[in-house]
Amino acid sequence: MKWLRSATLMGILSLALLLGGCSSLDQLTSDSGSSTTSSSDTTATAGNVKGTYAALAKQDYKSGSAAAIKVNSGKSTLKASLWKHSKIDYGNLDSLNRTTTDTAYLSKANLGRSAGRTAQTWSPTGWHNQPIKVNGKRVYPQNRGHLIAYTLSFNLTNTGVYKAGEDGSLDNPKNLATQTAYSNQKTMQIYENQVRTALEQGKKVIYRVTTVFRGNELMPRGYWSQAVSTDGSVNFNVYIWNVEPGVSFDYATGRGKADASMQVAGADKVTTSNNTSNRYSSKRPTTTKQVEKELAKYGYKYVKKAYNHAK
């Protein structure tokens, strides 16, 4: 009967992937680091950064699926022991002038306030700042999105070196990419708030963000974000889709158009009490458990649930 159970499991997994919109990177990475195959026949391992990046870049967002998905079962591959002092390693722009990876080693000293920030002048690749009418309203669906949040980068120079009195990284080309308003102001802030809260509590955090591009496209498909605190209280690894409800984008150019069929599951749900705020402190921070609870509704646990049911 073992073959029958295996066949049943494969059927359930296929159905689960359809229901979940292929929304689990647990099919691409694993805690043990063994290779697994995604729906697009792409393989990657937990310790293989290039392979995981390539797998992420090939994924297509399915309208109505989760705003973020797990990488490596949601666990960071960063080593907390590498934290020595406050700094940010800004990755160089690539040959197309696109951002790459920024890794921040943060403490409470790096928190700052966003009041009175100056205007941003740098235009990242794919940036158009074009207004679009969505449901009759004129909206600007693109932001200049920071890889490392402005409010997490104080007392550090634009080269990432500690220097007391320095303002945050506001207009640094190595820290800005074209991000949708929803991805920037909603989903990403759930995870930024976890980092911010840990720093407010005096903890030290390593926080890494990689912009994921497909081929020579100018607008990122998503943001691969992970963090770990030295005490282990913060530990996440996610891929944040660069999508906007009601708008579809040509990622090759960054230009968007109104598209009523483009929906983001939890567009009005995956939020935190202050997740659209740029304030220094969150009185009611969103915890990892709350994030898990919200995102569980939108797809990435379908496969795990189906597997457990078939056992």
Side-chain angles (χ1 to χ4, degrees), residues 23 61-69 134 141 180-184 186-188 190 221 239-249 251 259-271 294-295 297-299:
S23 63
Y61 179 76
K62 307 296 183 187
S63 178
S65 58
I69 54 181
V134 178
T180 70
Y182 179 71
S183 174
N184 184 35
K186 298 280 187 178
T187 321
M188 198 157 184
I190 290 175
R221 292 276 176 159
Y239 181 60
I240 297 166
W241 293 103
N242 199 19
V243 292
E244 181 78 11
V247 178
S248 60
F249 289 94
Y251 290 91
D259 182 357
S261 70
M262 175 55 73
Q263 301 297 322
V264 181
D268 59 341
K269 305 277 187 190
V270 185
T271 61
E294 291 292 348
L295 294 183
K297 299 175 185 176
Y298 310 124

Side-chain angles (χ1 to χ4, degrees), residues 229-294:
S229 60
T230 52
D231 72 339
S233 61
V234 172
N235 190 334
F236 64 77
N237 192 345
V238 293
Y239 181 60
I240 297 166
W241 293 103
N242 199 19
V243 292
E244 181 78 11
V247 178
S248 60
F249 289 94
D250 174 6
Y251 290 91
T253 63
R255 294 197 176 277
K257 63 180 181 180
D259 182 357
S261 70
M262 175 55 73
Q263 301 297 322
V264 181
D268 59 341
K269 305 277 187 190
V270 185
T271 61
T272 181
S273 56
N274 290 316
N275 75 340
T276 57
S277 167
N278 285 320
R279 283 180 287 177
Y280 168 73
S281 175
S282 304
K283 289 182 180 178
R284 297 177 59 195
T286 298
T287 64
T288 302
K289 228 174 230 185
Q290 288 170 311
V291 173
E292 292 283 323
K293 189 178 176 186
E294 291 292 348

Side-chain angles (χ1 to χ4, degrees), residues 135-158:
N135 295 327
K137 294 181 180 178
R138 193 166 178 259
V139 300
Y140 288 84
Q142 289 183 334
N143 287 174
R144 290 179 172 96
H146 293 94
L147 278 70
I148 306 300
Y150 168 70
T151 55
L152 302 178
S153 60
F154 276 65
N155 292 317
L156 294 167
T157 66
N158 260 5

Side-chain angles (χ1 to χ4, degrees), residues 39-163:
S39 57
S40 56
D41 295 322
T42 303
T43 60
T45 62
N48 182 356
V49 174
K50 286 184 179 178
T52 303
Y53 182 102
L56 288 167
K58 287 183 178 180
Q59 298 302 299
D60 288 316
Y61 179 76
K62 307 296 183 187
S63 178
S65 58
I69 54 181
K70 286 181 175 181
V71 178
N72 194 41
S73 299
K75 299 299 181 184
S76 175
T77 59
L78 301 171
K79 293 183 179 178
S81 60
L82 294 178
W83 202 104
K84 303 300 179 190
H85 57 270
S86 291
K87 66 172 181 172
I88 297 178
D89 293 334
Y90 289 113
N92 290 326
L93 301 181
D94 69 8
S95 60
L96 295 175
N97 233 23
R98 304 177 302 186
T99 48
T100 51
T101 296
D102 292 350
T103 305
Y105 301 79
L106 305 171
S107 70
K108 193 172 185 177
N110 304 123
L111 289 171
R113 298 180 183 274
S114 59
R117 62 168 73 180
T118 56
Q120 292 171 297
T121 59
W122 175 255
S123 294
T125 59
W127 171 256
H128 299 287
N129 199 29
Q130 59 184 121
I132 295 175
K133 274 198 174 181
V134 178
N135 295 327
K137 294 181 180 178
R138 193 166 178 259
V139 300
Y140 288 84
Q142 289 183 334
N143 287 174
R144 290 179 172 96
H146 293 94
L147 278 70
I148 306 300
Y150 168 70
T151 55
L152 302 178
S153 60
F154 276 65
N155 292 317
L156 294 167
T157 66
N158 260 5
T159 58
V161 177
Y162 185 85
K163 184 179 179 182

